[in-house]
Amino acid sequence: MKKSGLFLLALLSTISICSHKASGAENVPFIDPTPGEISIVASTPIPADQKPSREAFETLIDCGFNMGMETNSFFYFKNIFEILGDLKFKYLINNPDLLNDNRVKFIDQFSRNKHFAGWKVSDEPRYDGLDNLAKQFKALHTADPKALIYMNLIGSNIKVFTGNSKNFSEYIQLIQKKFMPGIWSYDLYPFLEKNGKVSASLPTFYSDLEIFKNISQKTSRPFWTYVQTMAYKAGTLKRPATTEAYLRFAVFTSLAYGAQGIVYWTYGQRASNKNETYYSALVNLKGEKYPAWSIAKKVNGEIKKFNNVFYNCKVKQVKHTGNVIYDGTTKLTGVFGPFTRIGTGTAGATVSEIINGKNTYIVIVSHDAFASQKLTLNLDRGRKVTNLTDTKQTQYSAPRQIDLTLDKGGYLIFRVDE
């Protein structure tokens, strides 16, 4: 090829790269509230019947949380920030005044405080309020352009929230057009309880993760997911108390898709009302620990253990094994990274290839939160991997077959060494 042709090719390549960056730059900036760490967020960090105290926040931090968020008054947050003192803990602030001219009072008081994480402006906004919310969202960004502005979306296509959108992907594109948010966040809980039996509704759970991974990559903005840790009933809908398997399944599937934040709904139990009954969370209304508190501490410790794998990672590909391949997902066939074959039980698994710095990782998360399943890995000739989830961090060299077990709701993480 002539030099002029090479120059043109290089120029076109540069334009393509710059166009991608420009597209991402159109969005509101992402201001990382927990630099260097996956954000582990406690919704309702202080139950209604508990007075905020340093001890309460020390308990939160001991459980592995580095951030809290709730809706409350100006003076409540002022008191909270004073109590936090030298503790390493951030707060996302929500108050109706953020969506009117009184926002200036909040900005002046909190935005430069070391415990300030950002502004939360909405949770599951209704479709008929999107235009006004977008207007106030932009006004808040103009007033405080260096702050994280956060809103959480509903998962799944429900008309009162998604309006006339043909599907959930179209709704997300609508949100992008109206808000160009600096961060993506949504909630969808897979576990249901009926007649004392718990089941998992997985199709929308996986399709949502695909959608948020894709919009995150397209806009160069991270996404957060919610996990359900409060047992409750709303009408005929009932959700169970979390277990170690349920929580680990939800958290590590999200991380395998590239999530940079995990929001616990909720840390503190809420008072029941005429529409919803709240049975338990991580702590009760007085701040006393439920059994799920220790479960959360254990799983949060695992998030921190593998922070170098997931924080600020690049997801190269995600595929699925098993008898059922859910809409929007891709079936794994043949070679995946260093493996010529990945075999699981009929329930299957999520298989993700992740790049972080100079390292490549393979993350495998079971589809089954109720039973364990066998896992067979065939390592390609000349390849080496290390099992990071093995306490011995066993290294395997090809050619060989690796036979392991995926615990219920469990995961395995391999570093690719060659």
Side-chain angles (χ1 to χ4, degrees):
M1 185 181 289
K2 294 181 179 179
K3 288 185 177 180
S4 58
L6 288 170
F7 174 78
L8 179 60
L9 184 62
L11 178 62
L12 289 172
S13 176
T14 302
I15 291 171
S16 175
I17 293 169
C18 291
S19 296
H20 175 73
K21 289 183 177 179
S23 176
E26 292 172 2
N27 281 53
V28 173
F30 171 66
I31 312 299
D32 192 344
T34 57
E37 297 180 331
I38 294 289
S39 296
I40 309 175
V41 188
S43 179
T44 314
I46 305 296
D49 291 356
Q50 183 188 14
K51 185 177 180 181
S53 66
R54 183 180 176 91
E55 182 183 3
F57 286 107
E58 288 173 342
T59 302
L60 270 159
I61 293 168
D62 182 40
C63 195
F65 292 94
N66 52 22
M67 192 188 311
M69 69 176 178
E70 61 184 311
T71 304
N72 222 304
S73 70
F74 174 88
F75 291 104
Y76 176 87
F77 289 119
K78 187 176 180 182
N79 181 44
I80 289 290
F81 280 30
E82 290 173 357
I83 290 171
L84 285 171
D86 60 349
L87 295 177
K88 187 182 178 183
F89 194 81
K90 296 292 189 74
Y91 237 90
L92 271 168
I93 291 175
N94 181 230
N95 183 281
D97 281 346
L98 295 175
L99 301 181
N100 60 47
D101 290 342
N102 291 328
R103 65 177 66 90
V104 175
K105 178 181 178 181
F106 281 81
I107 293 169
D108 288 346
Q109 177 67 41
F110 300 113
S111 65
R112 288 177 293 278
N113 191 290
K114 66 180 180 180
H115 299 295
F116 174 71
W119 310 113
K120 181 180 179 182
V121 297
S122 184
D123 188 74
E124 298 182 348
R126 293 171 62 100
Y127 181 80
D128 57 10
L130 288 180
D131 287 341
N132 182 61
L133 181 61
K135 178 182 176 182
Q136 297 302 332
F137 183 98
K138 292 171 185 175
L140 179 58
H141 173 56
T142 298
D144 197 5
K146 294 184 179 181
L148 173 67
I149 303 178
Y150 170 80
M151 67 175 177
N152 181 58
L153 305 174
I154 193 167
S156 72
N157 195 23
I158 301 174
K159 191 174 181 61
V160 69
F161 300 104
T162 59
N164 298 322
S165 302
K166 290 185 293 186
N167 51 49
F168 194 59
S169 292
E170 187 175 280
Y171 169 67
I172 295 303
Q173 293 302 323
L174 176 68
I175 295 297
Q176 169 63 10
K177 181 179 179 181
K178 288 183 177 293
F179 293 88
M180 295 186 290
I183 184 172
W184 295 95
S185 176
Y186 77 102
D187 62 75
L188 182 80
Y189 308 133
F191 297 107
L192 299 166
E193 183 177 342
K194 188 174 183 179
N195 299 325
K197 185 178 180 179
V198 178
S199 61
S201 178
L202 298 181
T204 309
F205 176 73
Y206 288 115
S207 64
D208 272 10
L209 282 166
E210 291 282 345
I211 289 166
F212 277 86
K213 172 180 70 70
N214 292 341
I215 193 66
S216 173
Q217 291 177 342
K218 181 179 179 181
T219 59
S220 301
R221 297 296 183 270
F223 77 95
W224 291 1
T225 64
Y226 273 55
V227 293
Q228 177 240 325
T229 49
M230 182 161 60
Y232 70 96
K233 183 179 180 182
T236 60
L237 174 69
K238 188 174 183 181
R239 299 205 183 272
T242 196
T243 68
E244 192 171 321
Y246 300 168
L247 184 57
R248 187 174 285 114
F249 165 83
V251 166
F252 278 88
T253 303
S254 298
L255 293 172
Y257 267 90
Q260 294 297 292
I262 305 293
V263 182
Y264 281 66
W265 195 85
T266 64
Y267 177 82
Q269 185 179 359
R270 294 183 178 182
S272 299
N273 56 54
K274 64 180 181 179
N275 297 317
E276 296 182 317
T277 302
Y278 301 117
Y279 299 105
S280 67
L282 301 190
V283 299
N284 66 17
L285 290 169
K286 296 180 180 180
E288 299 164 338
K289 298 173 185 176
Y290 279 114
W293 187 93
S294 296
I295 291 170
K297 179 176 180 177
K298 186 174 183 179
V299 174
N300 285 342
E302 293 171 23
I303 298 173
K304 293 174 182 291
K305 177 181 178 181
F306 295 111
N307 188 75
N308 66 316
V309 175
F310 296 111
Y311 177 74
N312 206 26
C313 70
K314 309 280 185 199
V315 177
K316 184 176 180 180
Q317 59 176 331
V318 180
K319 294 185 179 180
H320 293 259
T321 70
N323 283 10
V324 179
I325 303 301
Y326 301 99
D327 287 347
T329 66
T330 303
K331 182 178 179 61
L332 172 58
T333 57
V335 175
F336 191 94
F339 300 111
T340 57
R341 177 180 174 271
I342 297 177
T344 61
T346 58
T350 302
V351 185
S352 176
E353 184 175 12
I354 285 176
I355 312 296
N356 205 326
K358 296 180 180 180
N359 292 318
T360 298
Y361 303 93
I362 304 298
V363 180
I364 303 172
V365 188
S366 180
H367 284 174
D368 195 340
F370 306 104
S372 62
Q373 56 181 316
K374 297 298 182 182
L375 176 69
T376 301
L377 305 168
N378 294 100
L379 194 56
D380 201 0
R381 188 172 299 278
R383 306 302 297 272
K384 293 181 181 179
V385 296
T386 297
N387 182 356
L388 301 181
T389 37
D390 177 357
T391 54
K392 298 178 181 178
Q393 296 209 353
T394 304
Q395 186 179 71
Y396 300 96
S397 301
R400 70 164 296 167
Q401 178 174 300
I402 306 167
D403 295 306
L404 298 168
T405 299
L406 270 176
D407 293 333
K408 57 182 180 181
Y411 64 92
L412 292 166
I413 300 174
F414 298 89
R415 186 184 63 234
V416 181
D417 297 325
E418 286 185 20

